[in-house]
PDB file of all heavy atoms in Angstrom:
ATOM      1  N   LEU E 269     -24.664  -8.959 -36.366  1.00 95.00           N
ATOM      2  CA  LEU E 269     -25.532  -7.804 -36.079  1.00 95.00           C
ATOM      3  C   LEU E 269     -26.462  -7.639 -37.261  1.00 95.00           C
ATOM      4  O   LEU E 269     -26.001  -7.454 -38.387  1.00 95.00           O
ATOM      5  CB  LEU E 269     -24.697  -6.547 -35.887  1.00 95.00           C
ATOM      6  CG  LEU E 269     -23.622  -6.567 -34.790  1.00 95.00           C
ATOM      7  CD1 LEU E 269     -22.758  -5.313 -34.885  1.00 95.00           C
ATOM      8  CD2 LEU E 269     -24.275  -6.673 -33.422  1.00 95.00           C
ATOM      9  N   VAL E 270     -27.766  -7.721 -37.013  1.00 94.00           N
ATOM     10  CA  VAL E 270     -28.731  -7.556 -38.099  1.00 94.00           C
ATOM     11  C   VAL E 270     -29.230  -6.110 -38.083  1.00 94.00           C
ATOM     12  O   VAL E 270     -29.683  -5.630 -37.028  1.00 94.00           O
ATOM     13  CB  VAL E 270     -29.926  -8.524 -37.941  1.00 94.00           C
ATOM     14  CG1 VAL E 270     -30.889  -8.376 -39.112  1.00 94.00           C
ATOM     15  CG2 VAL E 270     -29.419  -9.955 -37.839  1.00 94.00           C
ATOM     16  N   MET E 271     -29.116  -5.436 -39.221  1.00 92.00           N
ATOM     17  CA  MET E 271     -29.534  -4.030 -39.294  1.00 92.00           C
ATOM     18  C   MET E 271     -30.882  -3.890 -39.972  1.00 92.00           C
ATOM     19  O   MET E 271     -31.285  -4.727 -40.785  1.00 92.00           O
ATOM     20  CB  MET E 271     -28.487  -3.188 -40.038  1.00 92.00           C
ATOM     21  CG  MET E 271     -27.252  -2.899 -39.202  1.00 92.00           C
ATOM     22  SD  MET E 271     -26.064  -1.852 -40.069  1.00 92.00           S
ATOM     23  CE  MET E 271     -26.857  -0.267 -39.921  1.00 92.00           C
ATOM     24  N   THR E 272     -31.577  -2.811 -39.647  1.00 88.00           N
ATOM     25  CA  THR E 272     -32.880  -2.536 -40.262  1.00 88.00           C
ATOM     26  C   THR E 272     -32.670  -1.751 -41.553  1.00 88.00           C
ATOM     27  O   THR E 272     -31.567  -1.306 -41.845  1.00 88.00           O
ATOM     28  CB  THR E 272     -33.729  -1.655 -39.324  1.00 88.00           C
ATOM     29  OG1 THR E 272     -33.067  -0.386 -39.189  1.00 88.00           O
ATOM     30  CG2 THR E 272     -33.887  -2.293 -37.956  1.00 88.00           C
ATOM     31  N   ALA E 273     -33.759  -1.610 -42.314  1.00 85.00           N
ATOM     32  CA  ALA E 273     -33.702  -0.733 -43.481  1.00 85.00           C
ATOM     33  C   ALA E 273     -33.493   0.698 -43.002  1.00 85.00           C
ATOM     34  O   ALA E 273     -33.645   0.995 -41.825  1.00 85.00           O
ATOM     35  CB  ALA E 273     -35.004  -0.830 -44.282  1.00 85.00           C
ATOM     36  N   ARG E 274     -33.150   1.614 -43.936  1.00 82.00           N
ATOM     37  CA  ARG E 274     -32.837   2.987 -43.586  1.00 82.00           C
ATOM     38  C   ARG E 274     -33.984   3.673 -42.821  1.00 82.00           C
ATOM     39  O   ARG E 274     -35.122   3.538 -43.236  1.00 82.00           O
ATOM     40  CB  ARG E 274     -32.530   3.764 -44.878  1.00 82.00           C
ATOM     41  CG  ARG E 274     -31.741   5.005 -44.644  1.00 82.00           C
ATOM     42  CD  ARG E 274     -31.167   5.510 -45.925  1.00 82.00           C
ATOM     43  NE  ARG E 274     -32.219   5.969 -46.824  1.00 82.00           N
ATOM     44  CZ  ARG E 274     -32.114   6.000 -48.163  1.00 82.00           C
ATOM     45  NH1 ARG E 274     -31.027   5.566 -48.725  1.00 82.00           N
ATOM     46  NH2 ARG E 274     -33.082   6.436 -48.898  1.00 82.00           N
ATOM     47  N   PRO E 275     -33.742   4.398 -41.779  1.00 86.00           N
ATOM     48  CA  PRO E 275     -32.431   4.632 -41.167  1.00 86.00           C
ATOM     49  C   PRO E 275     -31.919   3.394 -40.425  1.00 86.00           C
ATOM     50  O   PRO E 275     -32.670   2.736 -39.721  1.00 86.00           O
ATOM     51  CB  PRO E 275     -32.699   5.779 -40.191  1.00 86.00           C
ATOM     52  CG  PRO E 275     -34.147   5.657 -39.852  1.00 86.00           C
ATOM     53  CD  PRO E 275     -34.815   5.117 -41.063  1.00 86.00           C
ATOM     54  N   GLY E 276     -30.632   3.080 -40.635  1.00 87.00           N
ATOM     55  CA  GLY E 276     -30.079   1.859 -40.097  1.00 87.00           C
ATOM     56  C   GLY E 276     -30.015   1.841 -38.577  1.00 87.00           C
ATOM     57  O   GLY E 276     -29.501   2.760 -37.937  1.00 87.00           O
ATOM     58  N   ARG E 277     -30.647   0.828 -38.005  1.00 88.00           N
ATOM     59  CA  ARG E 277     -30.532   0.579 -36.575  1.00 88.00           C
ATOM     60  C   ARG E 277     -30.166  -0.889 -36.399  1.00 88.00           C
ATOM     61  O   ARG E 277     -30.264  -1.684 -37.328  1.00 88.00           O
ATOM     62  CB  ARG E 277     -31.882   0.867 -35.883  1.00 88.00           C
ATOM     63  CG  ARG E 277     -32.141   2.339 -35.608  1.00 88.00           C
ATOM     64  CD  ARG E 277     -33.551   2.573 -35.140  1.00 88.00           C
ATOM     65  NE  ARG E 277     -34.488   2.495 -36.230  1.00 88.00           N
ATOM     66  CZ  ARG E 277     -35.435   1.549 -36.360  1.00 88.00           C
ATOM     67  NH1 ARG E 277     -35.573   0.628 -35.449  1.00 88.00           N
ATOM     68  NH2 ARG E 277     -36.242   1.553 -37.397  1.00 88.00           N
ATOM     69  N   ILE E 278     -29.759  -1.263 -35.175  1.00 91.00           N
ATOM     70  CA  ILE E 278     -29.467  -2.670 -34.932  1.00 91.00           C
ATOM     71  C   ILE E 278     -30.779  -3.352 -34.536  1.00 91.00           C
ATOM     72  O   ILE E 278     -31.377  -3.004 -33.525  1.00 91.00           O
ATOM     73  CB  ILE E 278     -28.417  -2.834 -33.810  1.00 91.00           C
ATOM     74  CG1 ILE E 278     -27.121  -2.094 -34.170  1.00 91.00           C
ATOM     75  CG2 ILE E 278     -28.144  -4.309 -33.544  1.00 91.00           C
ATOM     76  CD1 ILE E 278     -26.360  -2.676 -35.336  1.00 91.00           C
ATOM     77  N   ALA E 279     -31.213  -4.319 -35.350  1.00 90.00           N
ATOM     78  CA  ALA E 279     -32.459  -5.019 -35.067  1.00 90.00           C
ATOM     79  C   ALA E 279     -32.222  -6.164 -34.081  1.00 90.00           C
ATOM     80  O   ALA E 279     -33.063  -6.442 -33.226  1.00 90.00           O
ATOM     81  CB  ALA E 279     -33.071  -5.557 -36.351  1.00 90.00           C
ATOM     82  N   ALA E 280     -31.082  -6.826 -34.201  1.00 91.00           N
ATOM     83  CA  ALA E 280     -30.808  -7.960 -33.310  1.00 91.00           C
ATOM     84  C   ALA E 280     -29.327  -8.279 -33.306  1.00 91.00           C
ATOM     85  O   ALA E 280     -28.601  -7.976 -34.251  1.00 91.00           O
ATOM     86  CB  ALA E 280     -31.581  -9.176 -33.794  1.00 91.00           C
ATOM     87  N   GLU E 281     -28.871  -8.840 -32.208  1.00 94.00           N
ATOM     88  CA  GLU E 281     -27.501  -9.359 -32.095  1.00 94.00           C
ATOM     89  C   GLU E 281     -27.618 -10.855 -31.911  1.00 94.00           C
ATOM     90  O   GLU E 281     -28.259 -11.310 -30.969  1.00 94.00           O
ATOM     91  CB  GLU E 281     -26.831  -8.768 -30.853  1.00 94.00           C
ATOM     92  CG  GLU E 281     -25.926  -7.604 -31.126  1.00 94.00           C
ATOM     93  CD  GLU E 281     -25.087  -7.277 -29.902  1.00 94.00           C
ATOM     94  OE1 GLU E 281     -24.332  -8.142 -29.423  1.00 94.00           O
ATOM     95  OE2 GLU E 281     -25.220  -6.129 -29.432  1.00 94.00           O
ATOM     96  N   ILE E 282     -27.014 -11.624 -32.785  1.00 94.00           N
ATOM     97  CA  ILE E 282     -27.166 -13.065 -32.711  1.00 94.00           C
ATOM     98  C   ILE E 282     -25.786 -13.720 -32.586  1.00 94.00           C
ATOM     99  O   ILE E 282     -24.919 -13.524 -33.447  1.00 94.00           O
ATOM    100  CB  ILE E 282     -27.896 -13.593 -33.962  1.00 94.00           C
ATOM    101  CG1 ILE E 282     -29.318 -13.009 -33.970  1.00 94.00           C
ATOM    102  CG2 ILE E 282     -27.942 -15.115 -33.991  1.00 94.00           C
ATOM    103  CD1 ILE E 282     -30.010 -13.153 -35.277  1.00 94.00           C
ATOM    104  N   GLY E 283     -25.568 -14.461 -31.507  1.00 94.00           N
ATOM    105  CA  GLY E 283     -24.312 -15.170 -31.345  1.00 94.00           C
ATOM    106  C   GLY E 283     -24.300 -16.435 -32.199  1.00 94.00           C
ATOM    107  O   GLY E 283     -25.303 -17.135 -32.306  1.00 94.00           O
ATOM    108  N   ILE E 284     -23.168 -16.699 -32.827  1.00 93.00           N
ATOM    109  CA  ILE E 284     -23.059 -17.905 -33.666  1.00 93.00           C
ATOM    110  C   ILE E 284     -22.129 -18.870 -32.941  1.00 93.00           C
ATOM    111  O   ILE E 284     -20.909 -18.641 -32.880  1.00 93.00           O
ATOM    112  CB  ILE E 284     -22.482 -17.567 -35.059  1.00 93.00           C
ATOM    113  CG1 ILE E 284     -23.238 -16.409 -35.697  1.00 93.00           C
ATOM    114  CG2 ILE E 284     -22.458 -18.805 -35.948  1.00 93.00           C
ATOM    115  CD1 ILE E 284     -24.647 -16.700 -36.107  1.00 93.00           C
TER     116      ILE E 284
END
Side-chain angles (χ1 to χ4, degrees):
Chain E
L269 302 172
V270 182
M271 285 182 76
T272 64
R274 201 165 67 206
R277 279 171 285 114
I278 302 293
E281 261 192 59
I282 296 165
I284 309 291

